[in-house]
Every structure is written in structure tokens, then in C-alpha cells.
């Protein structure tokens, strides 16, 4: 099969004919005008096709021979229009948009981009225009995007569930706490936009049943250099400081980027758990002072060997030290709710992680129609070590010392390495636009846990609670994607991705070997119909897979405290989802979306309490099938020249059934989600942003979740010809945007969980830029980002 794929990749570019292409580049006098609207209509004024310009201002349309009117527009600029006859490929070259000076005298807005832009298959959140993301990191930028919720180290998309994260189109192979820590090392000042792709086409990895979140890094203009330094201060219960510097250079054939950053300080972590045992409830109260120390850097080089051939390399390194001082109080009550005893668990957790990512790539453009072949070679390593010491002391109701309930030390480590190679071909044919590619990925993960009983004052190894686990995975993938305009109004895109996966997990302690092998097809389909300038419709379908992270396949136990532990499941299987979406757009302002997602073999954490031993066990199981559905309305408009506003309202529902022998009943209920984002231009150099969201409480599957709401207020002031930016942010003003009343009932025992990791905080940031005022050089992504997201 590999030989056939290579033969296809080599021969297809030379066996076809071209189609008529219209292209150009939209700019103002000094910089590209990204996201400009390009519309093509016939002589009667009926719209034929359209496109949104890329972030560098370039665009490309496929049309039939004929006479057309082209209109290019962008907010704050005068429309550019021209009538032309197309009978061969045409390059319009540089198209200059002139600023529209017909603005209010009190408030002048020039070239203002929309904070949120809707495209047929994705929502684009412009981080550069977001005041609340200024001075933050990638986590802040993602969480500021509409419909994205980050709770309990999980990144989820409204109506989709857990989402995979990409950087410039490559999925990050990290998940959970490791993914969040990694994204915190990326400065928001490096990010241009965030794409929320609810139903990704076949070109993207099939992993992630909750859609994809694509972080687009900034790109730069030719013959420019720029240096940006940023300092930010965060205050919650504790405080932290972040410093970052980015240097970007682009001249002729050479592009260079160098960045480094560090964050030092602490944040507060607060968790509450109530377990209602038959003998009486247990109240677990956890408070931690968690270190935010992190250091990161990146270097990237690209060189144009010829006008059509580019070679490049990139390295990204990250070191984090998110240790914590922990205090857990457990109050044991009887059936009359009187206090029987207390457990005081004092712990210290030292954690350090280091990752290295290497990329080499080549891009070969075949002709002036931008047919091209690209190849990526990537190597990724991730190492993490945790040293967790805790002592649990028992007290009487009068707080008299009874005994040391447990004293232990856990030392765990994880090593992940991944090599991947991929090739992609973009090749438009006369009758269809074709793209295809292949990828091979090799992953090795090794993790170990050493459990020491320290109650005697010595470190005594408990082999029964220690473990070493090794995991290997090989994945071969091939995809083909084709899109075609049937006529002036109807177009479609169809794709197929094939993935062959083999896994092997081995527990040295248990002498247990687990193997898995599967070949799966992942089809995608998009049908687009443009009735007129006011109405357009899009129907799409995609099948996806959600693979378990490496860490949760480890069968052994990781003790959280003396009365609770988490354990993996080596028999865990991937889940599969079928996603259906229908969208109607009215006048480019109103967007109605209806969706249905069907998940089979769904897996997740199950909180099980043992009434006999009063022990909480967190396990992972394939236990449900779910239908998740919803309808939503989004509205985007400029209320005035100085007030930009976006609103969304969704009604969501689910129907689940449990497919395993779990002792629980599925819960199904409805949820209302509302959000509003408002940006006020107070002058040429000042912006105020006010965002609010509300999600009602809901029941879904095994869990019931309480309501969530949040108000964010941010202000940004540009100084000294925009070379200095001063920004202020108050995040979650009323301290209500956190996970609360997360309830499940298993084995007849009710558990209610809350978590608030400094949701309310204040940020002050200062950014200074100098150079020739042209931002960022060309960035390059990593080809093995998919394998990195599951290193847990």
C-alpha cells in the first residue's frame, strides 16, 4: 500500500490539465488587508462565487470563462470594483484599498477587523483584535474565543465535547494538564487568530471527536524586522509575572524568528468534593498553592533556494515546574451529620517537565497556479517527573490527635518520543480541485510509578503499588480531498482519510501485554448552496476518532491522597463519532446552525466510591453511546462606527445510554448557552471590551453540571504611535465562571465536585515594539503535533 501511495504522489502532478484561476493580493498602502471579502457576480448582478482573503491578503478563485464583476471590500476601506472578461488564468497583482474617511469626527476607526468571522467550515477569532487576550498566553486566547470552555484541564467546544488543539494546522500530541501547561508557554502576542473547526475536512487528522481548534501564528511582510517585548502581571490570591521577547527578521530569501519567555509565580487551586456514603457524608476540601514557573523558546529558519523551493527548520523547547503545596481536609460525618473524625492531608508535589520539538520541511511550488508538494519530518520528546509526598493525620471531633493514617511518597515519570513524516500535494485539475497526502507516525511512551511507604520515617518500597508501563503506537494514514463547483450556486467537497493503527501496551509489573490493531475509514462531505447575496446554506458530515491518551492506558494506580486514587485501563478502546451539521447564513450577519453528533464506544472518567472502605476510585471506561444535538443562532454587526458586537444563543440536548455494566443511570437534559462580545473604540488609540457568557445547568450522560456565567472587562491603550500597548483585564468579575456542582451517582453513592483555579484575576500588561512596523516572519508548524496531544 505504501508503494502505491508513493506512486500516486509522484505521478499525479504531471498527468492533468489546469483550470481558469483568478488571483491577487489585497493591501493598503503599507500592509496586507487580511480577511477582505472578494465577490464575483455576473453582468446581471447575481453573485457567482466569493472568498475571504487569507491573512497575507492573497486570494484565489476558480471560475469558468466569461465576463464578471469583481468587488473587494473590507470594513474601514472603500470598495474596489472592476469588470473583466476571463478566458485564461489571470493575476490581478497588488490591489490597493483606500481608507474610507467618512467616519465620525469624535471617533475615528480605520481598517478595523471583525473580532469574529464566520466561514463555511469554521469560526475565526481574531486574537490581535481581542483586548482581553492582550498580555496573556494561548490558553487565554483560546478561552476568549466564543463557545470554548476550559475546565478541569479539558478544552471543550460548545456542542462538540473535548477538542484537539492544532498549531498552524498540525495537531498537538499532548492532552490534559500537559497540553494546558504547553499552551501557557505560548504568548498571545505570537498568535494572529484562532480557528474553531467544528467538522474538519479529510486533510486534517481524524483524531478528536470534539472538532479542532487551530492556533494561527503571525506571519510577516517581506524585507522587514521587528522586536516585541512584553511584561505582564497577574494577581489572583497569589501573583505571577511573565516576560517574553520576540525577534522576527525577513529579508529577500531568508526568514528568521527567535523568541524566548518565562513566567514565575503562583496561582491558587481550590477543589471541593462531597461524597454521600450510607454511613454518613465525607467532605473533602482541597487548597493548593501551585507554581506557574515556565521557560520556553523557539527558533525558526526558512530559506528560498529558488522562487519555487523553500527549505526550513524549526525548534521549540519548553520547561515547566508546576509543583504545589497541598492541603486536603476530610471531614467524616455520621448519618446524623455530626462530625465523627477528621483527616488532615498535607502534601508537597514537585513536578518538572521538558519537551523538545524539531521540524524540517520542504515546499516545492510546481507552477504559477500554486500547485505544490510539501514534506515535513518531525521528532518530538517529552519527559515529566513528579515527586509527591503526603502525610494523612487522623483527629477526633475535638481535633485531638488519633494516629497517622497514611504517609507515603510517590515518584512517577513519563517519557514520550515520536517521529513522523508526512507529504501533502495540492493540485487543481480542470474539472476538480484535488489534494492528497500521506503520513506515518511512530510513538513510544514509557511511564513508571514508585510507591514508598514512609510511615516509619524511612522510604520503604511497596512493590504492590509500584509499576512500569510501556506503550507503542504506529499509525499510517492516507487522505484524498476534492472540491468542485457544479454551477454558479452549487459546490461540494468530498474527502476520505484512511488510518491504520497498531498499538501495544505492556505492564512490566503485572507481566500483562495488550495489543490492538484497526484499519478505519473517515469520510467527509460538504455541500454548499448560495441562493443569492442574502441566503447561503451548508450541509456537512464527518466521521472522527478519539484515541485514549497514553497515561490513562497505564493500568496502575496513582494515589491522590490517603483515601483516593486514579487508575488507568489498558483495555480502553477508541471512540468514534458521526457529526452532522447544517448552517444557514443570512446577509452575512445571522448564522443559524443545527447539529447532531453520534458517539459510539464513548469513554471517560468514572468516579466510583466504595461504601465498605470509604475509598474513591477514578477509573476510565468505555461505557456509553450518545446522541448530542442542538440549534444555535449567531449574530454579528457593527452597531455604530465605534461599537462592534457579536452575540450567540444555543439550545443543546443529549440522549445517552450506558453500554457497560456501570451501576448508574444515564441523565439527559437541555442546556441554554448565551454569549455576547462587545468592543468599543474610544478613540484612535483606546479600546474597551466587555464580554459575558451564561450556560445553564445541565444533565448529560453520567454527570450533572451546575450553571456557569462570567463577565470579563478589558481596556487597551496604544501609546507613542502604537509602539507601546498598555492593557488591563479583570477576568470573571463575579467569580462564577468555574466548574460547580459536577454531580454523579454510581453504586448508589452521590458525589458532588467543584473546582475553581483562580477564575477571577486581574492582569496588567505592557508591550513595547520597535522595528520597521511590519509584524512577524513566516511561521512553520510541526508535522507530529497529533501524536503530542495524548502524552498524559
Amino acid at each position: 500500500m505504501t508503494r502505491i501511495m508513493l506512486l500516486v504522489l509522484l505521478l499525479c502532478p504531471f498527468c492533468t490539465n489546469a483550470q481558469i484561476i483568478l488571483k491577487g493580493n489585497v493591501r493598503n498602502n503599507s500592509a496586507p488587508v487580511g480577511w477582505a471579502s472578494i465577490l464575483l457576480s455576473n453582468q446581471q448582478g447575481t453573485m457567482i462565487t466569493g472568498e475571504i482573503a487569507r491573512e497575507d491578503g492573497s486570494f484565489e478563485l476558480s471560475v469558468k470563462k466569461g465576463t464578471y464583476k469583481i468587488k473587494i471590500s473590507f470594513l474601514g476601506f472603500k470598495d474596489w470594483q472592476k469588470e473583466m472578461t476571463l478566458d485564461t488564468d489571470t493575476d490581478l497583482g497588488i490591489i490597493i484599498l483606500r481608507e474610507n474617511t467618512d467616519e465620525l469626527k469624535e471617533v475615528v476607526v480605520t481598517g478595523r477587523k471583525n473580532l469574529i468571522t464566520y466561514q463555511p467550515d469554521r469560526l475565526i477569532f481574531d486574537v490581535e483584535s481581542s483586548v482581553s487576550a492582550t498580555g496573556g498566553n494561548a490558553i487565554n486566547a483560546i478561552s476568549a474565543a466564543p463557545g470554548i470552555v476550559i475546565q478541569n484541564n479539558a478544552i471543550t467546544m460548545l456542542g462538540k465535547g473535548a477538542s484537539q488543539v492544532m498549531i498552524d494546522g498540525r495537531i498537538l500530541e499532548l492532552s490534559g494538564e500537559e497540553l494546558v501547561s504547553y499552551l501557557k508557554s505560548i504568548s498571545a502576542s505570537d498568535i494572529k487568530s484562532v480557528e474553531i473547526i467544528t467538522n474538519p475536512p479529510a486533510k486534517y487528522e481524524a483524531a478528536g471527536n470534539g472538532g479542532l481548534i487551530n492556533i494561527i501564528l503571525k506571519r510577516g511582510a517581506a524585507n522587514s524586522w521587528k522586536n516585541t517585548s512584553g511584561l505582564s502581571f497577574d494577581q489572583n490570591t497569589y501573583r505571577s509575572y511573565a516576560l517574553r521577547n520576540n525577534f522576527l527578521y525577513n529579508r529577500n530569501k531568508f526568514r528568521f524568528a527567535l523568541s524566548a519567555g518565562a513566567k514565575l509565580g503562583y496561582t491558587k487551586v481550590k477543589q471541593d468534593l462531597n461524597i454521600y456514603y450510607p454511613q454518613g457524608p465525607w467532605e473533602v476540601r482541597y487548597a493548593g498553592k501551585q507554581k506557574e514557573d515556565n521557560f520556553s523558546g523557539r527558533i525558526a529558519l526558512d530559506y528560498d533556494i529558488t522562487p519555487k523551493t523553500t527549505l526550513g527548520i524549526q525548534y521549540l523547547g519548553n520547561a515547566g515546574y508546576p509543583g504545589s503545596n497541598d492541603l486536603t481536609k476530610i471531614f467524616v460525618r455520621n448519618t446524623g451529620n455530626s462530625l465523627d473524625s477528621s483527616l488532615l492531608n498535607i502534601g508537597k508535589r514537585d513536578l518538572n517537565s521538558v519537551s523538545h520539538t524539531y521540524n524540517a520541511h520542504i515546499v516545492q511550488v510546481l507552477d504559477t497556479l500554486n500547485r505544490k508538494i510539501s514534506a515535513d519530518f518531525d521528532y518530538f520528546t517529552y519527559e515529566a517527573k513528579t515527586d509527591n509526598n503526603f502525610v494523612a493525620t487522623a483527629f477526633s471531633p475535638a481535633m485531638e490527635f488519633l494516629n497517622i493514617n497514611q504517609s507515603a511518597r510517590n515518584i512517577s515519570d513519563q517519557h514520550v518520543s515520536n517521529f513522523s513524516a508526512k507529504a501533502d500535494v495540492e493540485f487543481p485539475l480542470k474539472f476538480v480541485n484535488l489534494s492528497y497526502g500521506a503520513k506515518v507516525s511512530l510513538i513510544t511512551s514509557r511511564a513508571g510509578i514508585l510507591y514508598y511507604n514512609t510511615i516509619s520515617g524511612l522510604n520503604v518500597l511497596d512493590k504492590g503499588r509500584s509499576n512500569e508501563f510501556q506503550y507503542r503506537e504506529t499509525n499510517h494514514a492516507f487522505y484524498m480531498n476534492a472540491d468542485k463547483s457544479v454551477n454558479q450556486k452549487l459546490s461540494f467537497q468530498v474527502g476520505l482519510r484512511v488510518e491504520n493503527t497498531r498499538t501495544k501496551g505492556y505492564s512490566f509489573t503485572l507481566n500483562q501485554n495488550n495489543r490492538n490493531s484497526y484499519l478505519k475509514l473517515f469520510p467527509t462531505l460538504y455541500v454548499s448552496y448560495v441562493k443569492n447575496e442574502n441566503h447561503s446554506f451548508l450541509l456537512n458530515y464527518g466521521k472522527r476518532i478519539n484515541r485514549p491518551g497514553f497515561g490513562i492506558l497505564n493500568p496502575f494506580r496513582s494515589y491522590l491522597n490517603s483515601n483516593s486514587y486514579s487508575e488507568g485501563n489498558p483495555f480502553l478502546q477508541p471512540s468514534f463519532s458521526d457529526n452532522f451539521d447544517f448552517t444557514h447564513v443570512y446577509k452575512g450577519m445571522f448564522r443559524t446552525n443545527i447539529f447532531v453528533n453520534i458517539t459510539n464506544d464513548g469513554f471517560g472518567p468514572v468516579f466510583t466510591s466504595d461504601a465498605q472502605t470509604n475509598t474513591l476510585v477514578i477509573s476510565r471506561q468505555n461505557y456509553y453511546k450518545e446522541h448530542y444535538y442542538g440549534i444555535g443562532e449567531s449574530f454579528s454587526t457593527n452597531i455604530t462606527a465605534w461599537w462592534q458586537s457579536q452575540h450567540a444563543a444555543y439550545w443543546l440536548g443529549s440522549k445517552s445510554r450506558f453500554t457497560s455494566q456501570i451501576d448508574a443511570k444515564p441523565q439527559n437534559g437541555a442546556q441554554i448557552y448565551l454569549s455576547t462580545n462587545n468592543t468599543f473604540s474610544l478613540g484612535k488609540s483606546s479600546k474597551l471590551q466587555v464580554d459575558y457568557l451564561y450556560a445553564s445547568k445541565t444533565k448529560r450522560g453520567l454527570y450533572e453540571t451546575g450553571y456557569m456565567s462570567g463577565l470579563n472587562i478589558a481596556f487597551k491603550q496604544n501609546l507613542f504611535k502604537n509602539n507601546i500597548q498598555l492593557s488591563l483585564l479583570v477576568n470573571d468579575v463575579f467569580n462564577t465562571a468555574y466548574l460547580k456542582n459536577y454531580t454523579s451517582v454510581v453504586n448508589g453513592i452521590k458525589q458532588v465536585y467543584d473546582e475553581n483555579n483562580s477564575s477571577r484575576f486581574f492582569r496588567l500588561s505592557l508591550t513595547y515594539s520597535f522595528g520597521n512596523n511590519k509584524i512577524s516572519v513566516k511561521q512553520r508548524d510541526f508535522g507530529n503535533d497529533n501524536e503530542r496531544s495524548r502524552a498524559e
Side-chain angles (χ1 to χ4, degrees), residues 340-410:
D340 271 353
S341 62
S342 301
L343 286 173
L344 184 64
N345 193 316
I346 300 176
K348 182 178 182 182
R349 187 166 58 102
D350 294 321
L351 188 149
N352 62 80
S353 63
V354 178
S355 65
H356 303 280
T357 305
Y358 307 87
N359 167 265
H361 56 272
I362 181 171
V363 179
Q364 177 66 54
V365 178
L366 302 178
D367 52 31
T368 57
L369 297 179
N370 206 33
R371 302 167 178 167
K372 62 182 178 182
I373 300 176
S374 61
D376 284 86
F377 304 91
D378 295 86
Y379 182 67
F380 166 71
T381 63
Y382 175 83
E383 297 183 7
K385 184 176 182 180
T386 303
D387 190 346
N388 185 23
N389 289 270
F390 65 88
V391 177
T393 307
F395 295 90
S396 69
M399 293 307 294
E400 299 170 336
F401 173 80
L402 297 178
N403 57 61
I404 296 179
N405 180 271
Q406 189 174 14
S407 179
R409 180 185 185 188
N410 290 336

Side-chain angles (χ1 to χ4, degrees), residues 525-545:
L525 174 66
Y526 294 78
V527 180
S528 176
Y529 177 70
V530 180
K531 183 178 180 180
N532 50 45
E533 291 185 357
N534 293 333
H535 298 276
S536 61
F537 305 87
L538 176 68
L539 175 67
N540 63 62
Y541 162 77
K543 188 178 184 67
R544 302 193 62 75
I545 182 174

